[in-house]
Amino acid sequence: MSEQLDHAFWENRYRTTTTAHVQPNPHLTVEAAKLPPGRALDAGCGEGAEAVWLAAHGWRVTAVDFATTALDRARERADIRGPEVADRIDWRTEDLTEWIPPENSFDLVCSHYAHPATGAETLLRRLAPAVATGGTLLIVGHHPSDAHSAAHASGVHATAEGLAAELDPVRWEILVAENRSRTVTHGSHQIELRDAVLVARKNR
Ligand SMILES: C[S@@+](CC[C@H](N)C(=O)[O-])C[C@H]1O[C@@H](n2cnc3c(N)ncnc32)[C@H](O)[C@@H]1O
């Protein structure tokens, strides 16, 4: 039977597993490097690798997660980098199935494998209004063919086409809608990941 990836699951996961080695998501670092720094929202930020990377590159970041254990570690990660990074990040404890981000407020809204219980498409619909006109939405999810997440409930999966279909083509320009494979090193072994990647710009 697949696991329930609820709040208790994530708190327990962070209490029992260290992911301090985690590097910022490469889809984010590539896409954000093309943008002038502004205001960013990272939804489901976990231990903060992406939020810290963004802050270190000049962004003001709102980083949201419901796992306080993860947020505590994320704050530590930012503090190590000093106030010029740490002071740029607002860490918020919120449930992404309930929290409504402020509309038209961020130049970049990103989310990497957050997959709340309500699914990636519902999360996208909740996050899209938070992107300011001219701003960018980046969603990275686990593709259904991703072996690493295969044991999880189907709700954790997404396809680039499915995510793109959620956006009104009159208002959004799809810049990337691709299902991509990549290899990551976990300790002494390598894992093949299959990601659904959506990058879109809000035109109005
Ligand atoms: C697979 S981890 C990804 C963490 C980070 N984005 C990364 O790429 O390393 C999923 C994260 O989403 C968070 N999450 C899942 N459901 C959530 C919800 N309903 N509200 C807020 N955060 C949630 C979890 O606590 C966890 O930190």
Side-chain angles (χ1 to χ4, degrees):
M1 209 173 79
S2 56
E3 290 166 299
Q4 188 73 14
L5 303 190
D6 56 9
H7 180 253
F9 169 90
W10 285 111
E11 289 290 5
N12 184 54
R13 172 83 174 263
Y14 285 116
R15 276 191 209 113
T16 55
T17 313
T18 175
T19 57
H21 58 279
V22 169
Q23 297 299 311
N25 191 286
H27 305 301
L28 170 73
T29 57
V30 167
E31 294 305 327
K34 300 173 189 167
L35 304 171
R39 302 151 297 167
L41 168 64
D42 183 7
C45 63
E47 294 183 66
E50 288 75 26
V52 168
W53 185 91
L54 285 166
H57 287 78
W59 294 78
R60 295 214 159 268
V61 187
T62 300
V64 176
D65 206 288
F66 66 178
T68 54
T69 313
L71 289 174
D72 288 346
R73 288 221 201 112
R75 266 190 211 94
E76 284 170 23
R77 186 191 284 260
D79 287 345
I80 288 168
R81 301 292 295 270
E84 55 292 334
V85 170
D87 291 354
R88 288 180 167 277
I89 309 173
D90 177 18
W91 303 103
R92 295 192 58 151
T93 309
E94 304 283 358
D95 186 333
L96 292 168
T97 65
E98 292 169 4
W99 182 64
I100 298 173
E103 281 192 21
N104 299 315
S105 297
F106 299 97
D107 306 295
L108 171 66
V109 173
C110 58
S111 185
H112 320 90
Y113 317 116
H115 49 69
T118 43
E121 291 81 7
T122 304
L123 177 64
L124 181 152
R125 286 197 293 275
R126 195 169 270 259
L127 295 179
V131 180
T133 303
T136 301
L137 176 67
L138 165 66
I139 304 284
V140 181
H142 294 301
H143 188 267
S145 65
D146 177 55
H148 178 63
S149 60
H152 297 324
S154 57
V156 310
H157 296 118
T159 64
E161 317 79 80
L163 293 170
E166 295 293 333
L167 295 176
D168 177 355
V170 174
R171 302 190 66 197
W172 292 87
E173 180 184 356
I174 306 294
L175 304 176
V176 175
E178 290 177 10
N179 302 306
R180 296 174 175 168
S181 298
R182 66 188 180 102
T183 305
V184 292
T185 303
H186 268 252
S188 58
H189 52 281
Q190 296 204 313
I191 298 173
E192 189 77 14
L193 298 182
R194 182 96 174 130
D195 295 333
V197 183
L198 175 75
V199 183
R201 187 187 303 123
K202 192 188 248 184
N203 290 330
R204 58 186 162 113

